[in-house]
């Protein structure tokens, strides 16, 4: 992971947190997925790896960035009632689909079903992120997927508050900053 760019985990959704690995506007734009190792580090931080690969598959950063852009397009266009081509998401889902096996559990003296990663290639590692997007697009209210209202923030989040009135990616950063700016503006006007 780039030491200077820490990914925000503020979205309350794995797929949106993955999309948020690129954030900021203009000169302040930040990229968290800057090499293959940073993708693996993000997946570890997101707790989606059941096994720890020795090293990141070569080229996973390219696929991860393509996946992120496809995911962003799918969400934005679906919120507008329009379709986008889910080719990259479907590729990851198909190639990364876990294999189901049964194993004998000696302590219980029964067979148990286990899902195992197909391999430790890029698609298998990114598959949980793609699966999270599918769940978001097919089972959640997309109107609750929002972009931070701060003018200099592009982070998205899944508003799971009771009133569905969340406005900022996080109160600690953008929320406090925007409230302070509004207070200063009111004071200056008054």
């Amino acid at each position: 992971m780039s030491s200077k760019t820490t990914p925000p985990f503020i979205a309350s959704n794995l797929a949106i947190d993955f999309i948020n690995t690129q954030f900021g506007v203009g000169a302040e734009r930040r990229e968290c997925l800057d090499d293959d190792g940073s993708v693996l580090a993000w997946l570890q931080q997101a707790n989606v790896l059941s096994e720890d690969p020795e090293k990141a598959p070569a080229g996973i950063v390219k696929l991860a960035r393509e996946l992120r852009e496809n995911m962003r397009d799918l969400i934005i266009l679906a919120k507008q009632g329009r379709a986008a081509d889910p080719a990259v998401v479907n590729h990851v889902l198909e190639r990364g689909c876990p294999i189901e096996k049964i194993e004998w559990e000696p302590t219980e003296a029964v067979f148990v079903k286990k899902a195992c990663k197909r391999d430790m290639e890029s698609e298998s590692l990114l598959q949980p992120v793609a699966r999270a997007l599918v769940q978001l697009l097919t089972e959640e209210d997309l109107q609750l997927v929002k972009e931070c209202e701060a003018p200099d923030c592009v982070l998205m989040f899944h508003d799971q508050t009771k009133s569905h009135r969340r406005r900022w990616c996080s109160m600690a950063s953008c929320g406090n900053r925007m409230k302070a700016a509004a207070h200063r503006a009111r004071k200056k006007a008054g």
Side-chain angles (χ1 to χ4, degrees):
M1 186 83 48
S2 172
S3 61
K4 56 190 169 198
T5 306
T6 303
F9 284 93
I10 51 89
S12 302
N13 181 282
L14 177 65
I16 300 171
D17 278 331
F18 187 72
I19 291 169
N20 286 342
T21 58
Q22 185 180 60
F23 60 93
V25 292
E28 296 298 314
R29 192 142 186 101
R30 299 288 178 256
E31 175 63 69
C32 298
L33 307 179
D34 51 10
D35 59 25
D36 293 338
S38 66
V39 176
L40 191 60
W42 187 89
L43 292 167
Q44 289 167 332
Q45 283 185 301
N47 296 316
V48 295
L49 295 181
S50 54
E51 307 134 41
D52 266 341
E54 291 178 23
K55 66 178 196 148
I60 193 173
V61 69
K62 181 179 184 298
L63 179 60
R65 287 177 174 181
E66 289 172 0
L67 178 62
R68 179 180 63 199
E69 291 310 309
N70 192 214
M71 291 169 64
R72 181 180 284 125
D73 290 346
L74 290 170
I75 289 174
I76 290 170
L77 291 175
K79 283 184 65 163
Q80 297 170 0
R82 298 176 27 213
D85 182 5
V88 180
V89 171
N90 284 338
H91 168 78
V92 170
L93 288 170
E94 179 184 327
R95 297 274 322 264
C97 186
I99 298 170
E100 288 188 349
K101 297 179 179 181
I102 59 170
E103 292 181 4
W104 183 253
E105 178 60 51
T107 57
E108 301 290 323
V110 295
F111 279 103
V112 293
K113 181 173 72 170
K114 300 229 175 168
C116 307
K117 289 197 181 309
R118 182 173 299 277
D119 52 35
M120 296 309 270
E121 294 302 314
S122 300
E123 291 86 356
S124 289
L125 297 176
L126 292 169
Q127 197 267 351
V129 175
R131 193 174 59 235
L133 177 75
V134 170
Q135 181 178 2
L136 179 69
L137 291 174
T138 61
E139 298 176 21
E140 301 291 341
D141 180 355
L142 287 182
Q143 298 314 309
L144 299 180
V145 175
K146 301 176 181 177
E147 192 171 296
C148 182
E149 290 184 18
D152 59 346
C153 184
V154 296
L155 292 176
M156 298 170 71
F157 57 90
H158 187 200
D159 184 356
Q160 296 179 323
T161 61
K162 189 174 181 178
S163 65
H164 303 302
R165 293 176 133 173
R166 183 173 163 189
R167 298 175 58 196
W168 298 289
C169 61
S170 88
M171 195 61 200
S173 60
C174 290
N176 287 339
R177 198 165 41 87
M178 293 293 93
K179 284 186 170 198
H183 177 72
R184 283 191 302 275
R186 283 190 307 271
K187 232 177 157 171
K188 188 176 183 180

